Structure formats: C-alpha cells, structure tokens
Amino acid sequence: MDFYDVLSKRVSTRKFTDEKISEEDIKILLDAANKAPIAMGQYDASRLTVIEDRSLIKEISEEYKEFTGKESDALYNAPVFIIFSSNKDNTSKYEDAGCVLENIALAATSLNLGSCYIRGLVNNLGKDAKYIDKLKLDEGYYPVSGIIVGHSEDELKGKDHNIITNYI
C-alpha cells in the first residue's frame, strides 16, 4: 500500500473480529516498532511485550474495570495488545512510546489491520498494577503505553482532520 494511502486509512479501531493475527504480521509490526526513533538512541531502555493470550488481555481489562468502575472493555476484545515499557525516569519515555506505537499503527494499517492507542488504562493502573508481574519485564521497567491490533470489523477509512496552522 502506498505510504499516503496508509496515512489516509489509519484510524483508531475499536471493533475487531475474532480472526487471529498471523505470526508473519506480528513480525512486520515489531520490525516497524524497531525502526522508530528513540531519544538519545537508548533502545536498551525500551521493552515491547506482545500479548496474544486472550485470557490475559481480558484479565487486564477486568483489572481496569475494577479500578474505574466502568463496565466497558477498555481493550475492545482485541486479539493482540502490545505494551511499550521503559526504565527511563524522564519524559522522553512518552515520546519514545509515541514513535514506536505510531510505527506499529502505520504498519498495521498497511496490513489492513485495525489498531488503537491504549494509554489511559496503562497510566491509570500505574506501576503497581497486578498484570505487570505477568509481563515478565526486567527489573526497573514499567509499562508506558500500548496499542491493540486486530482485524477490523469495519473497513479502514481515515478521517479528514485539519490542524489549524499558522505560518510565520
């Protein structure tokens, strides 16, 4: 798919089919993630966790429901949840996560897969969330943000946005 077609079709997806994402597609998503810029080139300060275990994805969503009192599934029954973690104690971990997750979103779109950033759940549950132990992260690493990916129930159709721009 042409790069500008990918940009035009990328949209947050919140309705997924039950179809599994292929191992080859997961490799493509991770390759895109590894091509993202990381502040000061500190790739060793980042970790990715690919969760395909539906029961763990549901458990994380249930933990968030308990925390917030909301009934909706914050992970939208997605088949894959990729979490970006970092050991950085500065704000660049958020920029790093944004770059990595955007690359994943664009790669997902190029594969005709839907995706959606998941930051609220990760940040609201924080460093003491129960699910973190199951991520098998190295000591000192904590989730910063994530992205859900899957086959969209709907055709990917981007939206026309217009950021007000001034020229100087």
Side-chain angles (χ1 to χ4, degrees):
M1 188 181 301
D2 175 74
F3 179 70
Y4 283 96
D5 288 341
V6 170
L7 290 177
S8 296
K9 289 184 177 187
R10 198 228 47 87
V11 65
S12 294
T13 300
R14 294 178 178 88
K15 292 181 185 175
F16 298 95
T17 69
D18 288 332
E19 186 178 349
K20 187 172 172 23
I21 297 178
S22 72
E23 203 173 300
E24 183 59 33
D25 285 352
I26 296 288
K27 286 180 184 176
I28 291 168
L29 298 177
L30 294 177
D31 182 56
N34 282 291
K35 287 179 172 34
I38 296 288
M40 305 298 292
Q42 294 176 326
Y43 290 87
D44 59 341
S46 303
R47 299 289 185 270
L48 290 170
T49 305
V50 178
I51 304 171
E52 297 178 272
D53 179 340
R54 284 295 194 63
S55 62
L56 179 54
I57 292 171
K58 184 174 181 173
E59 187 179 317
I60 295 168
S61 183
E62 291 297 321
E63 183 178 352
Y64 188 67
K65 283 180 185 180
E66 286 177 30
F67 181 80
T68 62
K70 295 180 181 177
E71 285 302 312
S72 59
D73 177 5
L75 298 176
Y76 304 98
N77 199 35
V80 174
F81 183 27
I82 302 173
I83 298 175
F84 177 90
S85 299
S86 179
N87 69 355
K88 291 183 178 179
D89 284 331
N90 58 40
T91 60
S92 67
K93 63 186 167 210
Y94 298 108
E95 287 89 354
D96 295 346
C99 291
V100 168
L101 299 177
E102 178 67 5
N103 272 19
I104 292 172
L106 294 173
T109 302
S110 77
L111 297 168
N112 244 355
L113 296 170
S115 65
C116 185
Y117 290 102
I118 302 295
R119 185 170 177 267
L121 175 148
V122 174
N123 281 271
N124 286 328
L125 289 177
K127 291 182 178 183
D128 296 322
K130 293 180 236 171
Y131 77 90
I132 293 175
D133 287 340
K134 295 183 179 182
L135 301 182
K136 301 176 185 173
L137 293 169
D138 295 329
E139 190 172 330
Y141 287 81
Y142 296 96
V144 175
S145 199
I147 189 167
I148 51 175
V149 182
H151 293 274
S152 179
E153 282 187 10
D154 303 316
E155 180 184 348
L156 299 179
K157 294 180 183 175
K159 298 176 182 176
D160 288 328
H161 300 286
N162 186 15
I163 300 171
I164 297 172
T165 306
N166 64 323
Y167 298 85
I168 301 172

